[in-house]
Amino acid sequence: MARKRLVSGMRTTGSLHLGHLLGTLENWVRLQDEFDCFFFAAVWHAFTDRLKIDDLPSVIEEMVIDWLSVGLDPAKAVIFRQSSLWQHAELSTILGMYTPLGWLERCPTFKDEVRDDETRAQVSLGKLVYPVLMTADVAVYKAEVVPVGRDQLPHLELAREILRRFNAQIAPIFPEPKEMLSEVPLLLGIDNRKMSKSYGNAIELRETPDTLKQKIHLMITDPQRVRRHDPGRPEVCTVYAWHRIFTPDRLDEIAQGCRTAGIGCRDCKAILFERLEHRLAPIRERRLALEKQPGLVRDVLAAGERRAHEVAEATMVEVRRALGFLA
Ligand code: TRP
Ligand code: SF4
């Protein structure tokens, strides 16, 4: 039986961190064995809230290297750049005609950001049509399955409505894409705020053992544990929140040790270091091997883009025909 088609994208907003690994990448790696996967760098989407991206080619290259180093396999999944496939833009323009403005203005990801006239003056049209482009990303490959985080659900809902409308008005070309939610534990940054490269609080996939150690050293613990013999409260500690995810087999021991001052924060952080290093070391090793192959990313993208082009162009021929653009 043919495998179902699956499409997902990741915006090119900077180097990848543990949040991406847990939330998205480990999932993608599993899915590439079960589905006909298309994974792309959502380059245009990355521009919806910034005017330029410095040295974009390196940003893309590093992202693709990160993908490969966690185990995405170009022999299994199609890997490409959105910005190399004009069919995404063509379909987005067309689907925009089937998208009432109200749907986009009511979309929570837009509405919550654009509250007043001042932000209205700043926010781009690109931001408004973000869900339309995302619909096109998925539909141009006739994807049935779309792995996304919870924050993307409104976009998937909109995608189905837009495609339903097109299918009813023009021709039943597109399947209705279903989201595949990855239930991921919330991983906060080392300062207990949302993990983000721009806050400088992320643990990146590219950490060396030294930088990893430094970042763990900076992690906020229970402020009441001033001295070694002060008992602590694991439930207010960032290090413990990370242990919940990375050290589930020793949680009781750690919580108990913290509350009774049986272990110190230094010991506690050493355990976390070991766990994270255990996850990051194989990724680092694979990346070093990949970086020794010059032209690898270029070749992977070239092959991926050839394949993506084949599929996307076939869909667009159908669309152009159905609309009467082709005789
Ligand atoms: N909007 C997605 C995100 O920020 C990225 C994305 C763009 C995407 N196009 C997509 C995800 C198509 C899935 C399918 O996470
Ligand atoms: Fe946090 Fe561990 Fe220190 Fe307790 S012992 S405060 S859990 S770092």
Side-chain angles (χ1 to χ4, degrees), residues 167-185:
N167 284 343
Q169 292 295 325
I170 303 299
I173 293 178
F174 302 111
E176 283 183 24
K178 266 209 180 59
E179 69 271 6
M180 176 187 271
L181 264 192
S182 49
E183 278 313 334
V184 283

Side-chain angles (χ1 to χ4, degrees), residues 66 71 77 90 116 129 147 172 178 189-190 224 257 290 312 319:
D66 280 341
E90 182 185 4
D116 47 46
V129 300
K178 266 209 180 59
I190 58 175
Q224 284 185 12
L290 293 166
V319 170

Side-chain angles (χ1 to χ4, degrees), residues 3 6 8 11 13 29 39 47 50 67 77 92 106 147 169 174 181 185 202 206 213 216 222 270 275 286 308 311 316:
R3 293 182 306 166
L6 177 152
S8 200
R11 293 183 305 136
T13 53
V29 170
F39 295 125
F47 279 85
R50 68 205 72 205
W67 288 2
S92 180
R106 275 195 299 275
Q169 292 295 325
F174 302 111
L181 264 192
R206 288 166 184 267
K213 200 165 280 171
I216 292 175
D222 179 358
R275 288 300 168 107
R286 241 176 284 147
V311 179
M316 289 317 294

